[in-house]
Amino acid sequence: MENGMKWYVIHTYSGYENKVMATLERKVKSMGLENVINRILVPMEDEVDMKDGKKRTVKRKIFPGYVLVEMEVNDRSWYVVRNTPGVTGFVGSATKPTPLTEEEVKSILKSQGVDAEPKIQIAVDIGEQVRITSGPFENFIATITEINKEKGTLKGLIDMFGRETSVEVDYSQIEKSLE
């Protein structure tokens, strides 16, 4: 993980995990902290239980009272997380949060169906032109119409057989085109 981004565990009041996650996500957006606080996760698993003779699947928190945050710890990011309502502190010493090991991170993220490797981030804007570098549309120039940061994909229009055709490609399949 580049630039000091590591996964940390935040201790929360029990039952506040999702509230803390939502509040933190809002704070990160409103304060422009996307470059220091990356992903926030409340690990869940499916649990089947019987009620009135019927099987039902419920989502259960794997670590009740804890939220995982991928972040770079600095005074500002630490302060923002620490002062989120419902957060009682970081796991680690009072002044220095202890990051999870890479093995712990890999196994938790795998159990959540999330890639341990963060998605490629690319600075492109809607309307910008990019060159597709791999896949069936290799070497086509696409004009970006939609960007999905969560999935790490974008949609763009390419000129195919004299018509504009919409295609979806992964960030890893494009490069900024040099006008």
Side-chain angles (χ1 to χ4, degrees):
M1 287 179 221
E2 72 283 50
N3 69 10
M5 283 275 181
K6 288 192 173 13
W7 283 93
Y8 294 89
V9 180
I10 307 170
H11 197 265
T12 69
Y13 293 122
S14 191
Y16 278 74
E17 303 87 353
N18 292 340
K19 203 174 252 164
V20 165
M21 180 168 79
T23 304
L24 257 178
E25 285 172 344
R26 275 199 311 277
K27 278 183 164 184
V28 166
K29 275 198 179 58
S30 71
M31 297 172 79
L33 293 171
E34 291 89 350
N35 56 341
V36 283
I37 299 177
N38 191 11
R39 296 182 284 178
I40 304 160
L41 188 65
V42 176
M44 306 287 266
E45 64 186 4
D46 287 338
E47 188 174 76
V48 177
D49 69 350
M50 294 292 279
K51 191 165 184 167
D52 306 324
K54 291 187 178 74
K55 263 190 191 176
R56 61 187 195 125
T57 305
V58 290
K59 288 267 185 217
R60 189 178 68 79
K61 293 178 186 84
I62 299 174
F63 310 112
Y66 296 97
V67 175
L68 276 57
V69 180
E70 185 183 26
M71 63 186 282
E72 187 178 321
V73 173
N74 60 34
D75 291 345
R76 189 163 178 227
S77 65
W78 183 88
Y79 183 84
V80 165
V81 171
R82 191 67 195 82
N83 290 288
T84 297
V87 170
T88 58
F90 280 95
V91 170
S93 71
T95 52
K96 190 146 182 33
T98 308
L100 290 170
T101 66
E102 248 172 78
E103 289 69 45
E104 290 169 323
V105 169
K106 279 192 176 116
S107 87
I108 292 168
L109 292 180
K110 194 173 175 152
S111 79
Q112 298 303 295
V114 178
D115 265 344
E117 292 307 309
K119 293 270 187 264
I120 297 166
Q121 292 302 318
I122 188 161
V124 290
D125 294 309
I126 290 177
E128 202 173 324
Q129 292 199 323
V130 293
R131 191 173 79 77
I132 300 173
T133 56
S134 66
F137 306 107
E138 190 173 349
N139 293 324
F140 276 90
I141 300 292
T143 304
I144 301 171
T145 56
E146 209 176 293
I147 299 170
N148 184 334
K149 284 196 164 100
E150 263 62 81
K151 280 173 48 188
T153 61
L154 51 86
K155 286 188 177 164
L157 294 173
I158 61 171
D159 188 11
M160 188 182 240
F161 310 122
R163 291 214 311 262
E164 280 194 329
T165 305
S166 181
V167 297
E168 185 172 352
V169 291
D170 197 85
Y171 286 174
S172 65
Q173 295 177 282
I174 63 160
E175 66 180 23
K176 283 189 157 195
S177 113
L178 302 166
E179 264 81 308

